[in-house]
Amino acid sequence: MGRPERPLDPTAGPVAAFAHELRVLRNRAGNAGYRELARTAHFAPSVLSTAASGRRLPTLAVTLAFVSACGGDRGAWEQRWWSVAQEARTKAVRPAQLPPGSRTFVGRAPELAAAAAAVEAGGPGRAPVLVTGPIGTGKAAFAVRLAEEVAAAFPDGQLCADLGGTGPGGRSTDDIVRGFLRALGVPASAVPDDPVHRIDLYRSLLAEHRLFVLLTGAGTEAQVRPLLGRTARSQVVVTSRARLPALEDAHRVELAAFPRADSVALLGRLAGTHRIHAEHSAADAIAALCGDLPLAVSVIGRRIAVRPEWTIAATAARLAGRERLLDSLGVGDVTVRDRFTAAYEGLSAAARAAVRQFGSDAATPAAVAAALGVATETAEELLESIVDAGLLRRADVAGRYPIPALVRAFAAER
């Protein structure tokens, strides 16, 4: 006799009813264990067990092997399988969890083309796309635009989760997996009790469906790995301030500040192209004061948009004349200073001390080592941690880390 199986509600849907009928067939055949059935069916016991679990419809090949091992009518069961497959397909849930795309999105054409090509290349195991860059470079907006461009390849829907909230008080990876399973229509009764088995089921659904999965705000590779799977059908895209060097086989896209033309174009999209064209030099000055950071340019553009009485030149003068530039870079609940502060407070005490030097000193290992009284190697590790927090740009030349203009202003405040 086989061991007792998890109770199954045959009224929970066509797949559950189909699994119940498989169990009835097995029971009539003497309730042989799955190991015994596997000798005749030539499928692993776990595959046969899953076929009768009700979690998802087994393939036709597995179904017929199961039926043959239990002495059932292959022809009748094949017809039954096609009927259930059609019914399940009709009732399939198509999640649409991505946030709306930005109507003011500009630029990033080369990066989008490269990322879309990587997605379209596919392969037996699609590589995740990892979008990295400092705070405010528009990583999530880029990922959503990418999803729009490749949407036709993923008709079964989109899943989205913010990994930035994981940790104490935030959503755990298991919570995210449970949410994904619910979004994909898996009934609560069919969700495995074991967290590892829940991940296995999620990965199986990635392999069976054509899904676009967006994971934003990843801090570590350990957060991402459980949410990846070997699949030729689904695509996972991850955004992170950190470079996540241990994330294997990822296609990497690194975003930086805008070229000046894109900054000015974004101001035009937000504040009105005619206003920007009429005062192009002032718009150029605003972009420079924002360090061409997409977030900062967007904030100023939105402020100008709701103040039609402001001239572009007056706005540029107001920004240039403020002792505390960051005071101007906020609109509603979006502020540049808050983004910087959250990243700063997440650093070690030594790294925070290094950031405070950026208001006046260069970001080099030698300068940080001298200021903090630490070894040069230690100083370089601190600078690398600040890069991964999103406050510094990656070193273009070994030993020199460009300090964004707004980060320098933030450091001076500290």
Side-chain angles (χ1 to χ4, degrees):
M1 296 290 289
R3 65 182 181 181
E5 294 181 285
R6 181 177 180 173
L8 184 63
D9 180 5
T11 67
V15 173
F18 188 80
H20 175 73
E21 292 169 13
L22 286 176
R23 291 186 182 186
V24 170
L25 176 66
R26 173 174 167 247
N27 185 61
R28 289 174 178 169
N31 203 22
Y34 287 113
R35 290 185 181 278
E36 183 179 343
L37 290 181
R39 298 190 188 100
T40 304
H42 303 296
F43 279 97
S46 60
V47 173
L48 300 175
S49 173
T50 299
S53 68
R55 295 170 187 160
R56 60 184 182 276
L57 185 67
T59 65
L60 179 59
V62 170
T63 298
L64 295 181
F66 189 111
V67 168
S68 294
C70 295
D73 184 334
R74 288 173 59 93
W77 275 91
E78 182 171 357
Q79 291 182 5
R80 174 68 176 135
W81 185 92
W82 282 111
S83 174
V84 173
Q86 180 60 37
E87 187 177 0
R89 189 176 297 114
T90 301
K91 295 184 178 181
V93 177
R94 184 182 183 278
Q97 297 184 343
L98 291 184
S102 172
R103 296 182 179 180
T104 59
F105 187 91
V106 300
R108 306 303 192 196
E111 295 91 342
L112 277 170
V119 171
E120 291 164 1
R126 285 181 179 271
V129 173
L130 174 62
V131 183
T132 62
I135 294 169
T137 49
K139 297 178 288 295
F142 175 92
V144 172
R145 175 53 63 94
L146 173 62
E148 293 172 348
E149 295 205 356
V150 300
F154 305 101
D156 295 331
Q158 308 93 29
L159 299 172
C160 184
D162 178 11
L163 303 189
T166 57
R171 293 182 69 194
S172 68
T173 299
D174 187 55
D175 286 338
I176 291 170
V177 170
R178 285 178 178 272
F180 283 172
L181 293 178
R182 286 194 296 271
L184 292 169
V186 179
S189 61
V191 175
D193 295 325
D194 189 312
V196 174
H197 293 166
R198 286 194 284 272
I199 291 174
D200 289 343
L201 175 56
Y202 159 72
R203 287 173 170 166
S204 296
L205 293 173
L206 284 187
E208 291 179 3
H209 295 77
R210 291 168 292 179
L211 298 163
F212 187 99
V213 183
L214 175 57
L215 308 173
T216 62
T220 66
E221 294 90 342
Q223 288 179 298
V224 176
R225 286 197 189 99
L227 301 171
L228 302 178
R230 183 170 177 81
T231 169
R233 299 168 67 82
S234 295
Q235 179 66 55
V236 178
V237 175
V238 182
T239 73
S240 178
R241 297 171 185 171
R243 291 159 293 179
L244 306 185
L247 194 63
E248 302 88 352
D249 301 325
H251 176 82
R252 296 173 179 272
V253 178
E254 186 171 1
L255 302 183
F258 269 155
R260 181 58 48 82
D262 288 346
S263 295
V264 174
L266 178 56
L267 282 174
R269 290 277 182 92
L270 293 164
T273 303
H274 62 287
R275 298 175 70 185
I276 298 305
H277 282 174
E279 299 183 78
H280 189 274
S281 294
D284 190 275
I286 289 174
L289 288 164
C290 290
D292 292 301
L293 186 70
L295 173 63
V297 173
S298 175
V299 166
I300 291 299
R302 294 177 193 283
R303 294 191 66 184
I304 295 172
V306 298
R307 298 295 297 270
E309 73 277 13
W310 284 5
T311 66
I312 307 303
T315 302
R318 187 178 293 109
L319 291 175
R322 281 181 177 265
E323 182 179 348
R324 296 173 67 85
L325 171 64
L326 294 177
D327 288 343
S328 299
L329 298 180
V331 60
D333 60 350
V334 179
T335 68
V336 173
R337 181 187 281 113
D338 285 351
R339 300 279 185 92
F340 287 171
T341 299
Y344 172 82
E345 291 178 349
L347 293 169
S348 67
R352 292 197 298 271
V355 169
R356 293 194 292 271
Q357 304 302 315
F358 297 167
S360 56
D361 292 339
T364 66
V368 171
L372 302 186
V374 298
T376 302
E377 293 80 4
T378 300
E380 186 167 12
E381 291 174 1
L382 292 174
L383 289 169
E384 287 293 309
S385 72
I386 298 168
V387 170
D388 283 338
L391 290 169
L392 269 186
R393 285 168 46 197
R394 177 178 55 81
D396 297 322
V397 177
R400 296 195 66 85
Y401 297 79
I403 305 175
L406 297 180
V407 173
R408 192 178 288 280
F410 174 80
E413 286 185 358
R414 295 284 164 169

